[in-house]
Structure formats: structure tokens, C-alpha cells
Amino acid sequence: MIVVLTKGISTHDKEMVRIYLRDRGFNIREQSFGGDTILGAAGKTTIDLRELGLLPGVERVASTSKPYELASRETHGEDTIVTVGALPGVKIGGSRISVIAGPCAVESKEQIRETAARVRESGAVMLRGGAYKPRTSPYAFQGLGMEGLEYMKLAGEENGMPIVTEVVSPELAVQMKDLTDMFQIGARNMQNFELLKKVGSLGKPVLLKRGPSATIEEWLLSAEYLLAAGTKDVVLCERGIRTFETYTRNTLDISAIPVVKGLSHLPVIVDPSHAVGIRDKVSQAALAAVAAGADGLTVEVHPRPDTALSDGPQSLYPEQFEKLMRDIEALAPVVGKELLRTPRTLAPGTVQAVPGTALPRNAGAVPPIAYSGENSSYTEQALTRIFGEDAERLQVSGFSGVFDAVLDGSASAGVVPVENSLAGSVHENYDLFLRYPDIAIVGELKLRVVHCLIADPRAEIESIQVIRGHPQDFAQCKGFLDKHPGWILEPSNSSADAAASIVRDGAIRVAAIAGEAQAQGLKILREGIETNPLNYTRFVIISRRENGGRAPIPPSLGSDKPNKASLVFSVSDEPGSLFACLKTMSDRGINLSKLESRPIQGKPWEYLFYVDVSIPPEEGIFDQVIEELKTKARDFHFLGTYRASL
Ligand code: PEP
Ligand code: MN
């Protein structure tokens, strides 16, 4: 039932309404909804609504149209965001996609530790694993029980990931309470009401799987049991339902995601592993779930699925999981979300925004960041990706508004796009840098391209000795190539040339780095091997330059040494003037990542050069080059130094 209170109701009257409801056995939740204060009241007793409607301060009383009240959007308009683990914890719900990963079952201390480290490295924010396994056959592996849970707790702690594990009885719930961060109610137990009541009463977050034959309403009523018992933190998990189809283990009910999100305020995640049951179909189903609006996923990953004691055939190899995470990261902005990531290497106690990753949730007071564009615009999404969802933000009009806000101190930094993979440079922003000499670039954010390792259909990864590809692609796949130090790298003019040479030579010891589209007639040995994500749009973070020198890097952007710089200059109209500038850089081994010329406004046939360069790690070289460039170039503008985006 919903009790809508009059605007400006006195504290006394509100308390009287609460007492009235409490005395009649109702659980009460206060919410603000569309400017109204409402009390959502859930209870077993029926009362005369007219009597309640006569109490002072009560504007209107309505019985909810749904049998589940606490789980319903009617009593709670805002999305619930569930926090799991020790504060700040991992959040599920809102604009983030939170991915839970781990094996079906905890099999040994080593297995869970190894899996935890692998999935964390790929960006999973929570660890899953069954210690008690409800198996269809009594002869199948039943789990390691409390011992397994101890191993899982250790693995979670070592990797900074809260854990979630299935609870199968009310007695075990009490025993497991202090070891797990979140309880999972398995599909088979969705309507085990005594279990729901006990688990709900323990106050811990609960992941509630949908029963294999449960309707959405039955599922939400089970959530209601948990909420009515006391917990506020319930995450719903669609894991496939039983249909007449036998090809897949279950049938993933994709439409349940938008339906449930309309009916309930609770976060909804998807378990593609149990839904599909076939390893090679899991990632597609996972991406479909993200596209349909899921708040997260729980995915089975095993370092050696062939030897897994349960659900090996549906468990992803860690490499497949890595690829899936990259795809989710690329897909997330399309549905207006960000993939929540645990920064890969974060020293304890440091607060660091690694462009391309989310800030830890307790990043502390991040000062306002200016941006121009609509809410949920790509610029805002970039801002969120860099500074975290909780960052204070200042929405201004136009890119010059961003520069103004940073200059006058109303924002400590700003985010603006400078390059788009389809449209090229955003010249307006380059021009603004020239108009605002006190503003500098202090960071950047990029997204990714997908590279594959492609070979003759008869080749296996073990048979490969030589890799052909464009040197730029070698650089983008450095992390992968470094894992195979024995491979010989043979540069090609392009990735297409590299792939064509494989067809021509028919050698099984040669592979090419190229895109999927170039793999026709060839075999893709590995997909998504690039170290760096695809660049749809490149954003830069701008800050106020101080003392005419380099811009100070805000602590929230990390204190890693800058390795990239952006410059703008023009040259005199005489032979070799541009060459002299470029030679200055080339002589010192400085790599140019961008060189673009653009007409100077008001000076026909004169050009400015936009240049991005790498900063060599050796001290002093870069400063010398800059000093020398100033003497050789005209209108030299130093836009800033920063860490290149991963
Ligand atoms: C599990 O997640 O390990 C599991 C057994 O899932 P479900 O209850 O959905 O079958
Ligand atoms: Mn399983």
C-alpha cells in the first residue's frame, strides 16, 4: 500500500501515521517520488484505507496494484543501488555494469586463488563460486562446504573482490554469514520460503536467481520475502528458464530484463553461463544482456574448464572472459552505462583515476569537473569513466564554457573531445587552446580497435613462430606479444598485407595481426589481442596551467610521469622549415603520434601543425627539444604533457 503525505506535513503528524501503520504490523519505507513524500507500507493485515486516509497529513492512500510492494517501483521510484562488501564496496545498479566472475564451484585453494587473480585482471569486481553445490545428481561433486568458503574468502581478500556464494539452508546461512559478502539464492531454492526469510533477516546483500520455471511475478514475490525479512539489498539474477527448447541448457529470457526493470527498482543482472550452458555461446548471450539493460553479469570462468568438477562445458577460459570484458567496455556507452572496473594495479591506499577505468568508489572529494553537453552525452560518459560516477560535475554551455570554468576556478578540470574516429579533429577545441594559453592538457581518454591473431586453417597457436603485422599493431598488441618472447616479428606495410601473405605462403608457422574482416579463409587463433582499447573519440582532460610551465596534474589523475605531449606551431614559409622542426624531434628519438595541418584563421595559406609526441623516459631530452623547437617554429604553443590513455 502507498500512503502519500501532504507537502509540508509536520514531523508529529508523520510520526503518528508511522505509529498507526506500525501498530498494525506494517513494515514502512519512506520515499520521495515525483516531489511527493510517500510511505510504502507492506504487511499481512488488511485495514480500512478510508480510516487511514482521514489521519492528519495523509493526502491519499492507494493499495498497490502489485502483490509485491517493497520490490515494486510503485513504492520506490529510484533505482536501488546495492553495495556489497566492506565500504566503499562494490556497487550494483545505476549507470554501471558490474561483472561477477569465478568458477562454478570452489575446487581447491589454488584453483579459486588462480581464478580470482585471472578474472580480477580482466576487470571483474566480485568473485563467485559455489561451496555448497545443489547438483541434479546426488553422485555429482557437492562442493567443499565451509572449507571451500574459507578458500574463497581468502582469494577474494587477496584480490580486493567481495565474494558471493550460494546458501542452501537456513542453518548454513547463519554459519556462512561472516565469511561471505553476499548470499546467492540458487534457482532451485527461489521459492524455499524458510530459506528466504532466514537469509533476508541476516541483512546481507542477496543475489536472487530466478527459478527455472518461475514467472516474473513469482520471482519478484520471492524478492519481496527477502525485503520483508529485513534486507534492503537484493539483486535479481535472470539465469534462463525452462522451455521446450533443448539445444541450450535453458532459455535466456532477455525480455525479462526490461520488464523487471519497469516493475521493480531492484538491480537486475544476468547469468549467461547457466542460461545457455554452452561455452561458445556464453559471450554472445552476455552481450545481449548488457544491450537489453542488465546492471551486470555473473559469469563462470575456470582456468582449465576441461578439468572442472562442475559446469566445465559452460565455463569460459580466462582469455575468453578477457575478450568479453573488452567487448562489454565497448558496448556499455551505447546503452548509457560504464563498465565498473577494478583498476589493474592500484597500490594500497592510493586514489588514482586511470583513464579508461573507473575510479574506486571512495575516491574522496573529487572537485567539480566541467563538461559541455547533455547528461549522458559521450562527454559526460567520458568524464564518468575518468573521474568516477560520484565525481562532482559542472555542466556548462559550449566548449568555451568548459575552458572558462577551468580558467576562473569554478571547475578544477574539464573534459573536452579533441578527435573522433569518424569525424577527425574537433578543431574548435584546438582553437580554444590557442585562445586560452593558461589552460593545458593533463590527461586523455581513448577507446579501442579489435585485433586478431590470424593464421592458416591448419595452424595452432603452438605451431606459430613468426608474426607479421603493421608495427603500429605490434605496439598495440605488445602485452600479448610479450607473453610469447620466442616469436619473431616481421613488419608489414599493413595488416591487410600481413594477412594476404599468410594466404600466399600457406605456412602454418606464420600468423598475422589483423582485423576479423581480414581473416577470410583463415583461422582466428585469438581475438581481441590488442593491449589498447578502440578509439571512437579521444577526450582530453584540461586544467589550469600554473607558473607558465607544465600543468600540474591533479592528484586524482595519478602521479605517473607524463609520456605524451601535445604541441601546436606554425613554421616560416621557406624550404625545410617544417622538416627542421620534425628533425629536431626525430634526432632525439621522439615519436610523433599525430601530425595534422590546419589553416590559420585570418591568414590565408598559412597553416598550424597539431602534433602529439611521446616523451622519452630519459630526463632532460624532452625539455631540450622543446627549447630548440621554440627557436625553429613560429607561434609555438605547448598544450601540455600527460599520460597516454591505455
Ligand atoms: C550457480 O550459480 O552456481 C548455480 C548453481 O546457478 P543456478 O542456481 O542458477 O542453477
Ligand atoms: Mn554452475
Side-chain angles (χ1 to χ4, degrees):
M1 153 176 68
I2 296 172
V3 185
V4 183
L5 304 177
T6 52
K7 290 193 175 55
I9 182 176
S10 70
T11 319
H12 172 265
D13 286 349
K14 199 196 272 184
E15 193 50 30
M16 294 311 285
V17 178
R18 285 177 161 277
I19 290 171
Y20 179 93
L21 290 167
R22 215 178 294 134
D23 287 351
R24 286 158 182 79
F26 285 93
N27 280 321
I28 307 156
R29 275 196 180 197
E30 185 173 329
Q31 317 288 342
S32 284
F33 192 45
D36 289 324
T37 302
I38 63 164
L39 298 179
K44 295 186 197 77
T45 37
T46 44
I47 55 168
D48 189 336
L49 298 188
R50 289 169 303 177
E51 197 184 325
L52 179 59
L54 290 174
L55 294 182
V58 174
E59 190 171 293
R60 169 163 63 86
V61 183
S63 58
T64 37
S65 59
K66 304 289 180 305
Y68 42 87
E69 297 191 344
L70 298 172
S72 166
R73 263 214 195 271
E74 291 177 27
T75 55
H76 194 307
E78 308 251 298
D79 283 347
T80 284
I81 294 176
V82 167
T83 303
V84 186
L87 290 175
V90 165
K91 292 199 169 85
I92 306 177
S95 66
R96 56 181 77 64
I97 293 167
S98 313
V99 179
I100 305 170
C104 177
V106 182
E107 297 168 5
S108 68
K109 194 197 271 186
E110 294 67 39
Q111 174 248 14
I112 190 71
R113 289 172 76 187
E114 182 183 353
T115 315
R118 297 293 298 266
V119 298
R120 184 196 189 281
E121 191 54 27
S122 295
V125 288
M126 277 183 66
L127 179 65
R128 60 146 287 142
Y132 292 91
K133 294 305 302 173
R135 304 300 298 279
T136 307
S137 162
Y139 308 117
F141 175 61
Q142 303 284 310
L144 296 183
M146 291 306 279
E147 187 189 346
L149 185 50
E150 299 270 3
Y151 296 155
M152 199 175 159
K153 182 175 187 313
L154 172 77
E157 279 168 4
E158 276 176 352
N159 291 282
M161 288 191 287
I163 62 171
V164 55
T165 194
E166 179 162 355
V167 56
V168 292
S169 77
E171 299 72 35
L172 280 170
V174 178
Q175 285 181 44
M176 293 163 77
K177 178 173 178 281
D178 294 331
L179 292 172
T180 189
D181 298 296
M182 184 182 214
F183 285 115
Q184 177 170 316
I185 302 284
R188 292 155 196 80
N189 272 317
M190 189 205 85
Q191 286 188 314
N192 182 339
F193 300 118
E194 291 311 309
L195 179 64
L196 295 176
K197 282 191 254 178
K198 184 72 208 175
V199 170
S201 75
L202 298 175
K204 286 234 154 181
V206 185
L207 183 65
L208 177 66
K209 292 275 191 108
R210 179 180 182 182
S213 304
T215 64
I216 288 174
E217 185 158 304
E218 286 164 345
W219 185 19
L220 291 173
L221 277 164
S222 291
E224 190 77 9
Y225 263 95
L226 291 165
L227 296 167
T231 185
K232 290 184 173 53
D233 295 317
V234 176
V235 176
L236 300 164
C237 180
E238 160 63 41
R239 45 77 74 200
I241 50 174
R242 190 162 281 199
T243 67
F244 51 80
E245 180 53 63
T246 53
Y247 184 79
T248 47
R249 182 172 175 176
N250 291 288
T251 298
L252 176 58
D253 185 5
I254 281 281
S255 52
I257 304 161
V259 170
V260 172
K261 288 198 79 69
L263 293 173
S264 176
H265 53 88
L266 297 172
V268 184
I269 71 163
V270 166
D271 172 349
S273 311
H274 292 90
V276 175
I278 306 165
R279 180 183 308 128
D280 288 342
K281 309 281 179 281
V282 166
S283 294
Q284 289 95 322
L287 291 171
V290 170
D295 295 302
L297 298 169
T298 173
V299 185
E300 285 185 343
V301 180
H302 195 289
R304 286 162 295 279
D306 321 344
T307 63
L309 296 181
S310 68
D311 285 347
Q314 69 190 33
S315 300
L316 295 187
Y317 285 93
E319 296 79 20
Q320 291 178 305
F321 179 65
E322 165 77 16
K323 167 77 169 54
L324 172 62
M325 292 296 276
R326 287 162 167 267
D327 286 344
I328 295 170
E329 189 162 24
L331 174 61
V334 178
V335 288
K337 296 204 177 198
E338 58 154 335
L339 175 66
L340 183 60
R341 267 190 181 276
T342 309
R344 287 184 187 226
T345 40
L346 194 64
T350 55
V351 169
Q352 185 182 28
V354 182
T357 66
L359 263 178
R361 294 294 125 191
N362 68 335
V366 179
I369 313 295
Y371 75 102
S372 161
E374 299 302 309
N375 289 334
S376 306
S377 65
Y378 283 113
T379 309
E380 206 214 359
Q381 287 172 27
L383 188 158
T384 304
R385 292 276 296 281
I386 300 161
F387 294 97
E389 203 172 58
D390 301 332
E392 226 187 291
R393 55 199 73 199
L394 183 67
Q395 192 179 12
V396 298
S397 168
F399 295 137
S400 60
V402 180
F403 281 74
D404 282 335
V406 174
L407 190 66
D408 71 20
S410 43
S412 68
V415 177
V416 290
V418 288
E419 209 173 339
N420 182 274
S421 54
L422 293 175
S425 290
V426 182
H427 295 298
E428 182 183 348
N429 281 324
Y430 276 99
D431 291 343
L432 284 167
F433 278 112
L434 307 185
R435 270 181 40 209
Y436 290 77
D438 288 334
I439 301 286
I441 299 176
V442 294
E444 71 170 6
L445 174 77
K446 283 196 234 163
L447 300 174
R448 67 160 196 167
V449 287
V450 177
H451 287 305
C452 301
L453 191 68
I454 294 171
D456 185 274
R458 294 163 298 144
E460 295 298 335
I461 192 117
E462 292 73 16
S463 68
I464 300 303
Q465 293 167 7
V466 175
I467 308 290
R468 293 192 188 138
H470 191 272
Q472 180 85 33
D473 298 349
F474 287 153
Q476 287 183 21
C477 301
K478 187 173 182 310
F480 175 71
L481 295 173
D482 282 352
K483 289 190 196 136
H484 301 274
W487 286 350
I488 298 159
L489 305 185
E490 284 186 358
S492 316
N493 285 336
S494 69
S495 57
D497 275 4
S501 78
I502 308 280
V503 179
R504 207 180 40 236
D505 298 350
I508 63 158
R509 49 175 210 100
V510 186
I513 294 181
E516 192 186 351
Q518 286 148 349
Q520 271 175 13
L522 296 171
K523 177 169 162 187
I524 296 182
L525 293 177
R526 287 283 185 280
E527 220 181 334
I529 56 167
E530 70 283 357
T531 317
N532 298 339
L534 173 65
N535 183 358
Y536 293 123
T537 299
R538 182 173 155 241
F539 293 91
V540 294
I541 303 141
I542 59 171
S543 180
R544 218 178 129 114
R545 197 190 298 261
E546 280 170 12
N547 310 325
R550 307 266 169 78
I553 297 176
S556 63
L557 291 177
S559 50
D560 280 349
K561 245 176 107 181
N563 59 0
K564 184 172 178 184
S566 294
L567 323 167
V568 178
F569 56 80
S570 63
V571 292
S572 54
D573 186 15
E574 56 191 318
S577 56
L578 173 62
F579 174 74
C581 293
L582 299 184
K583 187 168 183 303
T584 302
M585 295 189 259
S586 131
D587 283 350
R588 303 300 208 308
I590 286 185
N591 189 39
L592 243 64
S593 55
K594 170 171 178 155
L595 174 63
E596 186 179 354
S597 68
R598 162 156 161 74
I600 302 175
Q601 286 171 25
K603 295 188 182 172
W605 323 124
E606 290 190 34
Y607 297 88
L608 277 174
F609 295 97
Y610 300 162
V611 183
D612 286 346
V613 295
S614 66
I615 302 178
E618 300 81 25
E619 286 298 325
I621 293 186
F622 184 69
D623 295 324
Q624 277 173 24
V625 169
I626 295 299
E627 288 315 311
E628 214 173 302
L629 274 177
K630 282 181 186 164
T631 66
K632 296 200 160 121
R634 285 208 316 221
D635 299 327
F636 184 86
H637 303 269
F638 186 66
L639 302 189
T641 62
Y642 48 94
R643 288 297 291 183
S645 163
L646 293 176

